[in-house]
Amino acid sequence: MNQRRNFLKLAGAAGTAGVAAAATSFPAPAVKAQSPIRWRLQTYAGSSLGEHVIKPSIDAFNKAANGEMEIELFYADQLVPHGELFRAMQRGTIDAVQSDDDSIAAPVDVSVFAGYFPFGCRYSLDVPVLFDQWGLREIWQEAYSEVEGVTWLSSGSWDPCHFVSKDPITSLDDLRGKRVFTFPTAGRFLSRFGVVPVNVPFEDAEMAVQTGELDGIAWCGITEDYTVGWADVNSYFLTNNISGAWIGSYFVNSERWEELPEHLQQLYRLCIDNSHYYRQYWYWGGEANLRVNGEKLELTTIPDDQWATVEAEARNFWDEIAEESPRCAKVVEILKEYNETMEKAGRPYRYT
């Protein structure tokens, strides 16, 4: 019996050693690495402008995502025409968009306030304050919660809206008959002063000025005029503007957004905020520097007494927009109260 027990112990030990040896001889099967999540994002901007307004933040995201996710960036009209961006995102043809609500025909009533809503803000810093401290964020979230398939993430400020033109503009009369590339709501307002809004693809605007299809552009400030080449085909820059900042947004296909793990959602939001911050100083510094040191465009100005007519008409325009929906009325009321507060605050918030 003792011999039998010893035999079993030895056999058990040998078996254990054999299993261990087998484990070292035959490594565990390789686990295939998970493919990274891939998104396609199209911006409103052409390639030269996109180098500033979005590419740095997307490059940062792709690096920080550490192989878990990669966003492929496309510029204006590369995948779908700009006016079809919203529907394409809704269908899932593309995953994300950077643009204003207005020019991509977002089916929400507040889209009229994006892009350049006339005299809604005076400075670029007004935009984040309005969204984060005066309630516009909650209003935008409410509006887009009513739209299937698209999630609005954030809005930020870009540059002011000025005219750049082939011929000088020194009075309101000079605006009459000018064929101008601009945004839908801005064009709707400027048409009251004889401006003829013309819609062309972003990358075709420069050639349209050269061929005479356009007399000028009211799409940006002087920083973009120099960056995208519009300062090369125009001669004059009007210092008056109808808005202190363009309001643009980041959108995503809702299904693709919900598929992301929370840490990648947060990373994407951080990169959006980084883009908002970069544009604040890139535009602010660029506008001043190029007015003073730029050599391609001559500055012109419409006298204050004439421009006051434009500002007064903007308030009539606001009241008309307020009648379009209760939510629009709420936004207009916020804009009125905000601007009155800034006026009362005085310098440096407003110069009266």
Side-chain angles (χ1 to χ4, degrees), residues 62-127:
N62 288 337
K63 185 175 182 179
N66 198 30
E68 291 185 59
M69 181 172 173
E70 183 175 344
I71 298 175
E72 188 174 5
L73 177 62
F74 294 88
Y75 298 107
D77 302 301
Q78 281 191 328
L79 290 180
V80 295
H82 184 73
E84 299 175 16
L85 269 180
F86 193 92
R87 299 302 182 190
M89 175 174 47
Q90 205 169 27
R91 293 192 303 266
T93 304
I94 53 179
D95 305 299
V97 165
Q98 180 207 41
S99 183
D100 67 295
D101 322 46
D102 192 26
S103 63
I104 61 173
V108 292
D109 48 5
V110 296
S111 66
V112 70
F113 299 103
Y116 289 122
F117 188 68
F119 300 99
C121 61
R122 181 71 62 87
Y123 306 120
S124 60
L125 197 55
D126 290 335
V127 175

Side-chain angles (χ1 to χ4, degrees), residues 312-334:
E313 185 59 30
R315 292 308 176 103
N316 295 329
F317 185 77
W318 288 17
D319 290 338
E320 292 172 16
I321 297 299
E323 295 177 358
E324 294 184 357
S325 75
R327 193 156 47 211
C328 284
K330 187 175 181 179
V331 174
V332 168
E333 189 59 34
I334 288 173

Side-chain angles (χ1 to χ4, degrees), residues 181-199:
F181 174 49
T182 189
F183 290 89
T185 298
R188 178 177 165 186
F189 175 69
L190 290 169
S191 65
R192 299 180 178 211
F193 302 94
V195 172
V196 181
V198 179
N199 185 28

Side-chain angles (χ1 to χ4, degrees), residues 221-298:
I222 198 169
T223 308
E224 287 190 13
D225 289 329
Y226 275 79
T227 301
V228 305
W230 293 339
D232 298 325
V233 295
N234 288 281
S235 301
Y236 299 93
F237 178 83
L238 181 64
T239 59
N240 310 76
N241 66 58
I242 66 162
S243 178
W246 186 76
I247 299 176
S249 291
Y250 285 78
F251 310 87
V252 293
N253 175 277
S254 298
E255 185 176 345
R256 297 309 304 274
W257 178 248
E258 291 163 5
E259 289 172 355
L260 288 189
E262 186 176 357
H263 70 285
L264 288 179
Q265 288 185 350
Q266 185 61 37
L267 177 61
Y268 189 59
R269 289 185 184 277
L270 288 171
C271 287
I272 289 173
D273 287 343
N274 177 264
S275 179
H276 290 335
Y277 171 68
Y278 175 87
R279 292 192 314 274
Q280 281 280 353
Y281 66 80
W282 184 63
Y283 280 120
W284 186 253
E287 296 300 299
N289 179 56
L290 289 170
R291 283 192 184 201
V292 175
N293 299 311
E295 298 179 350
K296 297 179 180 179
L297 296 171
E298 182 179 337

